[in-house]
């Protein structure tokens, strides 16, 4: 059994590794194709690997390679890591098929080769992070993962926007690694070993590691208020990579956090409250910001923040229930969080791939310029619809399945003895429900404005369906989305998680029957009525205008306007009038300015003040560098004296 | 054979002269006498090394004495002397950060600092008194050389400060560290100094650092003078 697992795993490693090297060695189209083929093969192998472990529930530990004294290079997998390997294996096939075609549209030959190589490296690094057996291996591959994705974000480094995105991403990812380092070092001091397990440590001593790791993983996962890098990095990266980053990389951070949390024998209650609060805020803020966004990929990035929030809500619930001694509910919340992570990986990668196709066909990311794509790009639109239905959590697609588990867990909050906690859970539940409703509205807007109605721009009118491979690539996660939704109960029980859960297959069949019956009924009525049926074709009333121009349609901004008005205290939009008058009594109006100001709350209050402080300190430090040799020798002299004094004091 | 105790007494006297020479390098304004002081200092070192050889009988010490005599008493001073003749500047009157009096006061502080520091660090090693003083003087000489480097303006004085600093390192090496290793390092450093001196000579030694940079820029020795 173990040898089979090893064979599968090493096969996948070899495939991904050669996929990385191949396009760099042989710079040709075929090498790139082979590279993506190899990543596809690796995902099939991984599917087998993860499936076996999940089904049997038996972990596997690979023989350690010691390459430094006292430090073993260990890799291993248990059910938790297998679940996340499965997640990677589910996203990669679609992305690799899609990228076969998509990568060919990059600007330069070298860029294409690099994209292929780095994508493979990125997948490999994420895989190894999930399989890492100790902290050092974890951190090494974590850095490789961050750097390869950074290079992918910077793939088109000639554009200012991408440079800014890359820089932002670089800073945030380093911040995340710094916090992880702190967390791991403090853990190491507690346990004395670099293993990922905890052994027996007093829970009270774990406060610092918990806070560090929560911050570190939270930054990487894109939790509010550390979410700002996502809306910059995702639009900048190629669509296949955005799918991987949003679908998988954020989940790798979730995995890291879970790995720590599950090792803690008895987590404290306030951890759960903190995680739940931050998760709820992320879910709400993510979707609220997404509503206002009109850049399609940025919108999807904000929606990822929302979904990460939902996953962290599940994790928070798990901690709370565990701390309160309710293991069954804890398991249900944890299952919900993991399952939602899995589902989000599927539908978000699907949506990013579709967005990539749309952007590829129209040449713009602005939602306002789309419209009518259902006629010109029918298959993409259909896939887009599947993604939207899934993410809006409509049954029986998979988005519904994961959230259902969380709702179930929430509804049993009355099992808690502490009334304050119950109140907190009810508040969190209302936030969660609101986020769900807003997400539905968001994707009605996105799908409606993008695919329906009349084309709003010339590009959109002339858009052509994308090449077949890109369609197939997006179809793979779409199929998974529906399957994971319909067979959610079966999937969970195959993975050994027996939670109370309705069978969505039945519901799905029922819904399918109803839809089919409705469709047939409408069709039948149309046929026998000779044009008198519901298919009456005529002009809609155009307010007296002779023809309806596309510019008169309901726009994306118009759609979200009511919600924006309701939530304006969060957006902090301010309308500023500055009128000028001709006379002192201010009765004769001369002219004036009106502007709508948007307060970027997190940027202006959280990021800019420290940035300013660092800048002013740097300016002072920079003054030391005055170009005078004498000063430099003086610094060296002072440093030596300081060193001598320090050594004298310490010895 | 001469009595080792007598020799130790002589070495201690030489230590005092070394310190005096360091103080002179800090405060003297005439370039010629700075150079002479440096020569004398190097000669004192060679003598210390030779006397130590007489006490301990290690061949390396003799080698070191010879090497110091050849390079630092004869070769380098001769070299610098020629430069001084060329540049026709007799005095270095410009100081940065510290005037000579302050420098002197500061160097007393430096000696005290080295003494306290070394007595703490080497307290457990039970070094003999002679070796301990040697180490203290070596360290303070190094620091004083550094002081010269940033408080004098003319390049040539800076170079002499550097050489004097290196003398301090040599002294510390004689009294504290293992010899053969330090010997090799010394030779390498001396060679580097020679190369440096030559390159400085090629561009113009009679200037302060700012003028020197302007000259180099004009000569375009390195591409893109902005990098300097």
């Amino acid at each position: 059994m173990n040898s089979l697992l090893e064979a599968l795993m090493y096969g996948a490693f070899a495939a991904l590794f050669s996929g990385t090297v191949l396009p760099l060695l042989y710079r040709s189209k075929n090498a790139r194709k082979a590279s993506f083929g190899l990543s596809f093969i690796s995902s099939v192998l991984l599917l087998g690997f993860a499936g076996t472990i999940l089904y049997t529930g038996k972990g596997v530990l690979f023989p350690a390679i010691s390459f430094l004294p006292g430090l073993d290079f260990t890799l291993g997998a248990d059910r938790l890591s297998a679940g996340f390997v499965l997640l990677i294996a589910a996203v990669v096939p679609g992305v690799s098929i899609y990228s076969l075609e998509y990568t060919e549209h990059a600007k330069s030959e070298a860029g294409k080769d690099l994209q292929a190589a780095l994508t493979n490296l990125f997948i490999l690094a994420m895989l190894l992070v999930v399989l890492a057996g100790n902290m050092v291996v974890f951190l090494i591959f974590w850095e490789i993962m961050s750097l390869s994705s950074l290079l992918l974000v910077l793939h088109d480094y000639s554009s200012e926007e991408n440079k800014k995105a890359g820089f932002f991403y670089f800073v945030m990812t380093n911040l995340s690694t710094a916090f992880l380092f702190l967390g791991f070092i403090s853990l190491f001091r507690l346990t004395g070993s670099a293993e990922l397990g905890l052994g027996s440590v007093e829970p009270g001593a774990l406060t610092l590691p918990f806070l560090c790791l929560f911050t570190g993983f939270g930054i990487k996962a894109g939790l509010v208020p550390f979410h700002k890098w996502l809306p910059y990095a995702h639009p900048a990266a190629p669509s296949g990579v955005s799918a991987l980053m949003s679908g998988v990389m954020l989940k790798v951070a979730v995995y890291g956090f879970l790995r720590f949390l599950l090792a803690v024998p008895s987590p404290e209650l306030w951890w759960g409250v903190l995680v739940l609060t931050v998760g709820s805020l992320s879910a709400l803020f993510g979707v609220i910001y997404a509503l206002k966004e009109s850049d399609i990929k940025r919108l999807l990035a904000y929606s990822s923040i929302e979904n990460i929030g939902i996953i962290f809500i599940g994790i928070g619930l798990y901690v709370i229930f565990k701390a309160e001694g309710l293991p069954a509910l804890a398991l249900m919340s944890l299952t919900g969080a993991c399952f939602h992570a899995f589902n989000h990986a599927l539908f978000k990668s699907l949506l990013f791939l579709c967005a990539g196709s749309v952007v590829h066909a129209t040449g713009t990311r602005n939602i306002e310029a789309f419209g009518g794509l259902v006629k010109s790009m029918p298959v993409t639109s259909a896939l887009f619809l599947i993604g939207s239905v899934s993410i809006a959590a409509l049954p029986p697609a998979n988005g519904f399945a994961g959230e259902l588990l969380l709702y179930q867990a929430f509804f049993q909050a009355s099992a808690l003895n502490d009334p304050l906690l119950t109140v907190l859970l009810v508040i969190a539940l209302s936030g969660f429900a609101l986020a769900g409703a807003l997400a539905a509205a968001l994707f009605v807007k996105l799908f409606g404005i993008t695919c329906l109605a009349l084309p709003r721009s010339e590009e959109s009118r002339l858009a052509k369906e994308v090449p077949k491979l890109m369609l197939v690539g997006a179809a793979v996660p779409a199929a998974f989305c529906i399957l994971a939704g319909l067979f959610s109960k079966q999937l969970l029980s195959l993975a050994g998680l027996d939670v109370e859960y309705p069978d969505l297959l039945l519901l799905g069949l029922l819904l399918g029957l109803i839809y089919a019956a409705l469709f047939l009924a409408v069709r039948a009525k149309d046929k026998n009525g000779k044009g008198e049926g519901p298919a009456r074709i005529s002009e809609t009333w155009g307010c007296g205008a002779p023809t309806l121009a596309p510019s008169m349609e309901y726009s994306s901004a118009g759609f979200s306007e009511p919600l924006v008005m309701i939530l304006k205290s969060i957006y902090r939009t301010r309308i500023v009038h500055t009128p000028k008058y001709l006379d002192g009594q201010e009765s004769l109006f001369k002219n004036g300015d009106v502007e709508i100001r948007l307060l970027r709350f997190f940027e202006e209050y959280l990021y800019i003040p420290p940035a300013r402080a660092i800048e002013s300190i740097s300016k002072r430090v920079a003054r030391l560098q005055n170009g005078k040799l004498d000063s430099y020798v003086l610094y060296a002299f002072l440093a030596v004296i300081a060193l001598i004094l320090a050594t004298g004091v310490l010895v | 054979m001469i009595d080792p105790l007598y020799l130790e007494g002589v070495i201690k006297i030489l230590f005092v002269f070394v310190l005096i020479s360091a103080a002179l390098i800090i405060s003297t304004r005439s370039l010629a006498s700075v150079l002479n002081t440096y020569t004398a200092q190097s000669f004192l070192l060679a003598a210390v090394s030779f006397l130590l050889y007489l006490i301990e009988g290690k061949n390396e010490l003799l080698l070191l004495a010879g090497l110091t005599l050849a390079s630092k008493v004869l070769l380098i001073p001769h070299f610098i002397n020629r430069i001084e003749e060329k540049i026709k500047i007799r005095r270095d009157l410009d100081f940065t950060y510290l005037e000579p009096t302050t420098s002197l006061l500061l160097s007393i502080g430096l000696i005290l600092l080295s003494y306290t520091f070394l007595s703490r660090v080497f307290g457990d090693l039970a070094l003999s008194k002679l070796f301990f003083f040697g180490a203290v003087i070596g360290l303070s000489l190094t620091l004083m050389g550094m002081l010269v480097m940033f408080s004098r303006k003319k390049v040539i004085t800076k170079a002499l400060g550097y050489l004097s600093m290196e003398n301090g390192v040599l002294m510390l090496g004689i009294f504290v560290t293992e010899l053969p290793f330090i010997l090799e390092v010394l030779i390498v450093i001396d060679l580097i100094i020679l190369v440096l001196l030559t390159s400085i000579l090629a561009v113009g030694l009679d200037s302060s650092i700012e003028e020197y940079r302007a000259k180099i820029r004009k000569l375009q020795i390195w591409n893109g003078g902005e990098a300097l």
Side-chain angles (χ1 to χ4, degrees), chain A residues 299-322:
Chain A
L299 185 146
L300 290 176
Y302 275 120
S303 144
S304 289
I305 297 167
E306 180 224 338
N307 282 284
I308 285 291
I310 292 175
I311 294 167
F312 272 82
I313 286 178
I315 298 175
L317 283 180
Y318 158 76
V319 177
I320 290 177
F321 286 131
K322 175 135 193 200

Side-chain angles (χ1 to χ4, degrees), chain A residues 405-425:
Chain A
L405 274 169
L406 292 180
Y407 275 116
Q408 277 182 327
F410 261 124
F411 287 148
Q412 297 182 46
S414 52
L416 291 167
N417 290 324
D418 191 343
L420 265 181
L421 264 186
T422 316
V423 171
L424 173 83
L425 251 61

Side-chain angles (χ1 to χ4, degrees), chain A residues 626-631 633-634 636-637 640-641 643-645 647-651, chain B residues 96-97 106 110 113 117 120-121 139 143 146-147 149-150 152-153 158 209-210 213:
Chain A
N626 53 9
K628 281 187 192 154
L629 180 67
D630 288 351
S631 318
V633 181
L634 178 65
F637 181 73
V640 170
I641 300 279
L643 216 65
I644 287 178
L645 285 175
T647 327
V649 170
L650 290 178
V651 167
Chain B
T96 36
Y97 300 117
L106 193 63
L110 289 179
L113 178 72
F117 169 66
R120 279 199 163 198
V121 174
L139 185 58
L143 292 174
M146 218 166 169
L147 194 78
M149 277 170 71
F150 71 81
R152 295 294 198 109
K153 268 218 165 151
K158 280 187 196 299
I209 282 286
E210 284 77 18
R213 187 185 302 162

Side-chain angles (χ1 to χ4, degrees), chain B residues 68-79:
Chain B
T68 313
L69 204 66
S71 63
K72 294 183 182 166
V73 180
L74 299 174
L75 193 64
I76 296 177
H78 170 72
F79 201 62

Side-chain angles (χ1 to χ4, degrees), chain A residues 194-388:
Chain A
E195 297 302 309
L196 285 171
L198 273 178
S200 53
V201 181
E202 275 185 40
L206 284 171
T207 304
L208 178 69
F210 165 72
L211 285 177
C212 288
L213 292 180
F214 182 49
T215 318
F217 287 125
I219 293 174
K220 194 70 176 180
L223 279 181
V224 169
F226 311 114
H227 62 285
K228 286 300 303 195
W229 64 267
L230 274 136
Y232 287 104
H234 284 331
S239 289
V241 177
S242 312
L244 280 176
M245 279 174 80
S246 183
V248 187
M249 189 177 73
L250 305 185
K251 309 304 160 10
V252 173
V254 171
Y255 163 79
F257 187 57
L258 277 179
R259 170 62 61 193
F260 163 73
L261 215 52
L262 294 183
V264 180
S266 52
E268 290 181 62
L269 183 63
W270 68 268
W271 296 10
V273 175
L274 178 69
V275 175
L276 180 66
T277 316
V278 174
S280 309
L281 287 179
S282 296
L284 266 177
F285 276 113
V287 70
I288 286 173
Y289 282 120
L291 269 171
K292 207 169 163 48
E293 196 52 63
S294 60
D295 176 322
I296 183 165
K297 286 179 88 176
R298 194 168 284 178
L299 185 146
L300 290 176
Y302 275 120
S303 144
S304 289
I305 297 167
E306 180 224 338
N307 282 284
I308 285 291
I310 292 175
I311 294 167
F312 272 82
I313 286 178
I315 298 175
L317 283 180
Y318 158 76
V319 177
I320 290 177
F321 286 131
K322 175 135 193 200
E324 291 290 295
L326 296 163
L329 281 178
L331 179 69
M332 183 181 270
S333 331
L334 186 65
T335 312
C338 291
F339 197 46
H340 191 73
F342 179 71
N343 292 330
H344 177 244
L346 288 174
F347 53 65
K348 192 45 70 67
S349 57
L350 166 61
L351 285 168
F352 264 115
L353 295 184
C354 289
S357 301
V358 171
V359 173
H360 172 72
T362 57
T364 169
R365 295 205 304 256
N366 187 1
I367 297 174
E368 307 284 9
F370 297 152
L373 292 180
V374 76
K375 290 239 173 72
S376 48
M377 302 171 72
V379 185
T380 305
S381 298
L383 293 171
F384 204 21
L385 180 63
I386 293 176
S388 303

